[in-house]
Amino acid sequence: MPCHPTPLRFSRLLLTGAAGGLGAELRTRLKAYCDVLRLSDIADLGAPRAGEELRPARLEDAAAVHALLDGVEAVVHLGGVSTEQPWEPILQANIIGVYHLYEAARKQAVRRVVFASSNHVTGFYRQDEVVSPRDPARPDGLYGVSKAFGEDLSRFYFDRYGIETVCLRIGSSFPAPRNRRMLATWMSYDDLERLVVASLTAPVVGHSILYGMGDNTTTWWDNTPARHIGYRPQDSSEPFRAQVEAADPHPDLTDPATLYQGGPFVRTGPFE
Ligand code: 15L
């Protein structure tokens, strides 16, 4: 049963990164909103299900990415590196690959992209601060820097070419929050679906940025500037609080991972 009661239905949607954790979740859910769901990844996608087209592609391969966007109405771009990694894979997938994606969107006249950015664009804000999409980026690693690049590149493609993008600074989307930090950053899979479908279907989005979080009591992010997207989370981390806090009763306040919003990402790497 789809979470979002949208009257809009797409003829063909492209979902990149479809073999990843969130990709696999959205693979099942987005089919309800389109006639054909085109799926891409470099990892194995298994067998196609009804209404699916499988198109393995490397994001650093310009020709492959151009073919990927042929005939699609909108893109949900989850593909690329999704954790802190050495520079080279980040450069290939998240910098060069995202450039290829937007060039392909321009040439193939694709009008809207939902771009999976990350909360790690602002991971070096402290946990006692509330950040809005209008505040300056403070990436907590090369991965966060690459997502900030994707946000800037997509803004340029909107200003110059009118391609609309909703940048989702996704928090922690898992079946349940795994630690104290995720009491603030957690988003359920149902809310993830609500967020992505609202981003795909809001009539006018221009270039928008919002945080992908649930209806959590503790929050570090203010989505007020993006209320026009119409995303209203319905699931809260609160029912998990007692269990999560009991598992970690005395957090180390001298640890940067406890102080900063990015958590352990603020101290991952360097890799050489
Ligand atoms: C991310 O950007 C990662 O892709 C995901 O695996 C989580 O670690 C998440 O951030 C997070 O901040 O919890």
Side-chain angles (χ1 to χ4, degrees):
M1 181 61 184
C3 284
H4 196 284
T6 174
L8 287 182
R9 205 177 153 88
F10 295 90
S11 52
R12 180 178 275 100
L13 277 181
L14 168 64
L15 173 65
T16 70
L22 301 190
E25 202 52 48
L26 287 176
R27 174 179 184 171
T28 315
R29 292 162 180 262
L30 287 182
K31 189 63 203 63
Y33 305 96
C34 57
D35 298 327
V36 178
L37 184 59
R38 182 175 292 172
L39 303 166
S40 184
D41 208 301
I42 51 172
D44 183 25
L45 287 159
R49 303 172 199 155
E52 290 183 346
E53 292 176 341
L54 306 191
R55 297 276 192 281
R58 300 198 72 82
L59 294 168
E60 53 269 45
D61 179 343
V65 175
H66 282 251
L68 208 51
L69 270 76
D70 181 23
V72 308
E73 243 180 298
V75 179
V76 179
H77 182 53
L78 266 49
V81 172
S82 63
T83 54
E84 187 64 359
Q85 299 280 329
W87 173 241
E88 194 52 34
I90 288 179
L91 171 66
Q92 294 304 325
N94 292 17
I95 305 285
I96 295 172
V98 171
Y99 168 71
H100 289 157
L101 186 92
Y102 276 91
E103 270 300 280
R106 179 178 72 78
K107 290 183 179 158
Q108 309 278 11
V110 175
R111 304 312 301 165
R112 188 174 296 187
V113 177
V114 177
F115 171 63
S117 183
S118 171
N119 73 93
H120 296 286
V121 167
T122 52
F124 257 127
Y125 282 92
R126 289 169 53 100
Q127 294 190 7
D128 53 8
E129 296 174 282
V130 174
V131 186
S132 113
R134 293 195 177 133
D135 290 319
R138 293 183 76 173
D140 58 28
L142 297 175
Y143 164 62
V145 169
S146 75
K147 289 298 181 183
F149 170 83
E151 292 187 358
D152 280 354
L153 189 79
S154 59
R155 187 184 295 278
F156 165 67
Y157 273 82
F158 175 65
D159 289 341
R160 176 76 67 84
Y161 304 111
I163 298 168
E164 292 191 302
T165 293
V166 183
C167 298
L168 306 178
R169 290 183 179 167
I170 298 173
S172 310
S173 194
F174 296 104
R178 297 173 170 177
N179 50 44
R180 280 176 176 263
R181 173 177 171 270
M182 291 191 192
L183 293 174
T185 62
W186 184 68
M187 175 171 62
S188 71
Y189 291 147
D190 282 353
D191 277 344
L192 171 72
E193 178 185 336
R194 291 182 185 102
L195 176 65
V196 169
V197 176
S199 303
L200 283 169
T201 56
V204 182
V205 301
H207 183 268
S208 299
I209 302 176
L210 73 163
Y211 287 88
M213 60 181 175
D215 184 23
N216 303 329
T217 300
T218 303
T219 179
W220 307 324
W221 305 324
D222 174 11
N223 267 340
T224 310
R227 283 178 70 87
H228 56 276
I229 301 295
Y231 169 57
R232 297 289 179 271
Q234 292 180 26
D235 299 324
S236 166
S237 62
E238 215 49 28
F240 302 94
R241 180 177 291 278
Q243 192 187 342
V244 165
E245 290 185 348
D248 181 17
H250 306 295
D252 176 4
L253 298 179
T254 65
D255 181 352
T258 310
L259 289 179
Y260 292 100
Q261 297 186 5
F265 279 63
V266 304
R267 52 172 166 67
T268 308
F271 293 93
E272 299 89 36

